[in-house]
Amino acid sequence: MDKLVAMRSEIDVIDKQLISFLGQRFQITERIGLYKADNALPASDENRELGQFFEYRKLALQHDISEELVADIFKRVIEEVILRHKQLIN
């Protein structure tokens, strides 16, 4: 049972890191949104998104993670970013 507790503790540390990284990512995308608003740029960039999803899928394969899972996670993250960019632009 101690082994299980230890492994779960490792997961807890990683989960905290993931959330911290997401926070950092959203801080940067907030700056991008402000830049877009100041420069009359659109909230989304379809070409960039397509390129990113291509990279996400490659990384998923490299790390033996479901491509669909990774795509779903980043789809949600990007949707949130675009929503915030639209708020900043309007």
Side-chain angles (χ1 to χ4, degrees):
M1 194 63 148
D2 288 340
K3 233 178 174 179
L4 179 59
V5 170
M7 288 186 286
R8 286 180 173 164
S9 290
E10 289 180 60
I11 288 173
D12 293 345
V13 168
I14 293 168
D15 287 348
K16 288 175 186 170
Q17 291 173 335
L18 286 170
I19 292 168
S20 176
F21 285 138
L22 277 173
Q24 291 173 42
R25 188 184 196 287
F26 281 115
Q27 287 174 353
I28 295 167
T29 61
E30 183 77 6
R31 293 194 328 250
I32 291 169
L34 291 169
Y35 180 88
K36 287 179 175 183
D38 289 344
N39 292 279
L41 297 171
S44 63
D45 181 343
E46 192 173 315
N47 288 330
R48 162 100 174 135
E49 291 167 32
L50 289 172
Q52 288 301 102
F53 277 97
F54 179 77
E55 290 300 317
Y56 299 151
R57 285 190 160 83
K58 279 190 348 188
L59 287 167
L61 288 172
Q62 289 173 8
H63 293 280
D64 197 28
I65 302 171
S66 163
E67 293 176 65
E68 292 79 19
L69 172 63
V70 171
D72 288 347
I73 290 168
F74 278 98
K75 179 180 179 203
R76 182 64 187 102
V77 168
I78 290 170
E79 286 171 351
E80 190 68 23
V81 169
I82 291 170
L83 176 65
R84 179 62 182 146
H85 287 184
K86 286 180 180 178
Q87 291 170 343
L88 291 169
I89 289 168
N90 294 323

